Amino acid sequence: MAYLDETTLETLNFKSLGLNVKISDKASIYGSERISLGNNVRIDDFCILSAGDGGIELGNYIHIAAYCSLIGKALIKMEDFSGLSSKVAIYSSSDDYSGNFLTNPTVPQQFTNVVNGPVILRKHVIIGVFACILPNVEIGAGSAVGSYSLVTKNIEPGVIVSGVPARFLKKRSGKIFELEQAFLQSENLHTQHIL
């Protein structure tokens, strides 16, 4: 996988750009002026990030695996240490499928009923392959969403959910928060040693 070099990343005019950001040269970025990237972010091949008015905010230590889509008018936010497995789709906008309105972006707005709402993944959220997250969803810190799941409602912190629609399976270990602290301490010691 080839990544965009630092000069190219700077020409994309992101709202903010952290250190050690790796974006595949095969990824597609739209609305970069509304995208904030933290430190240690990696976006793999064939991902689409299309930021609407609400923007896209990626924290620190974020991984977005191949073929993922982050699309919509409202905010999409991934907090530190969250990640997406391959082919995850996050939508902060969605058409009305009831049949009472026309659908798709080629139709004038007065004939559609698009729902826009933020999607927020709190710290240490992991989303399994082929999962889909729809607008107006917050996934609580430390939660995991199983592969092929459909998330249409908020998920509480520290749980594992799966299914269509996603349902509670069991609690998830909170050890990830202890490991985060140990990791960050080791990073600080490493940085101090270099200086």
Side-chain angles (χ1 to χ4, degrees):
M1 177 176 341
Y3 295 109
L4 299 174
D5 61 41
E6 206 168 305
T7 304
T8 304
L9 285 174
E10 288 174 9
T11 65
L12 291 175
N13 296 316
F14 288 106
K15 183 175 181 180
S16 63
L17 179 62
L19 302 173
N20 193 31
V21 171
K22 295 179 179 179
I23 299 177
S24 166
D25 63 356
K26 295 175 185 69
S28 298
I29 308 292
Y30 304 97
S32 59
E33 68 280 3
R34 295 181 297 277
I35 298 175
S36 300
L37 303 171
N39 299 322
N40 304 297
V41 171
R42 189 177 114 189
I43 300 169
D44 291 346
D45 289 349
F46 310 112
C47 290
I48 300 170
L49 276 69
S50 181
D53 297 341
I56 295 173
E57 298 177 11
L58 304 181
N60 301 313
Y61 298 100
I62 301 290
H63 177 231
I64 299 176
Y67 294 98
C68 287
S69 318
L70 285 72
I71 298 172
K73 186 172 185 177
L75 172 68
I76 297 173
K77 180 176 184 177
M78 295 177 64
E79 291 185 350
D80 297 353
F81 297 99
S82 58
L84 307 179
S85 298
S86 297
K87 300 182 180 179
V88 168
I90 297 178
Y91 297 101
S92 65
S93 297
S94 180
D95 277 305
D96 182 325
Y97 283 64
S98 68
N100 294 317
F101 301 92
L102 296 178
T103 61
N104 86 54
T106 66
V107 175
Q109 189 174 354
Q110 69 263 29
F111 298 103
T112 66
N113 185 35
V114 176
V115 173
N116 299 299
V119 176
I120 299 172
L121 280 58
R122 297 294 181 193
K123 286 178 84 172
H124 295 288
V125 166
I126 184 71
I127 309 295
V129 64
F130 276 110
C132 179
I133 303 169
L134 295 181
N136 292 307
V137 166
E138 180 175 328
I139 301 177
S143 285
V145 174
S147 299
Y148 292 89
S149 295
L150 174 64
V151 182
T152 60
K153 294 189 255 182
N154 292 346
I155 305 295
E156 66 181 282
V159 298
I160 299 173
V161 299
S162 187
V164 179
R167 293 184 265 299
F168 174 85
L169 291 180
K170 63 182 180 179
K171 286 288 203 183
R172 187 173 183 218
S173 171
K175 187 171 181 178
I176 50 179
F177 296 99
E178 296 170 26
L179 291 169
E180 173 192 349
Q181 292 307 311
F183 168 70
L184 292 175
Q185 286 177 345
S186 72
E187 285 288 290
N188 286 339
L189 290 173
H190 177 72
T191 303
Q192 290 172 3
H193 180 68
I194 291 173
L195 298 176

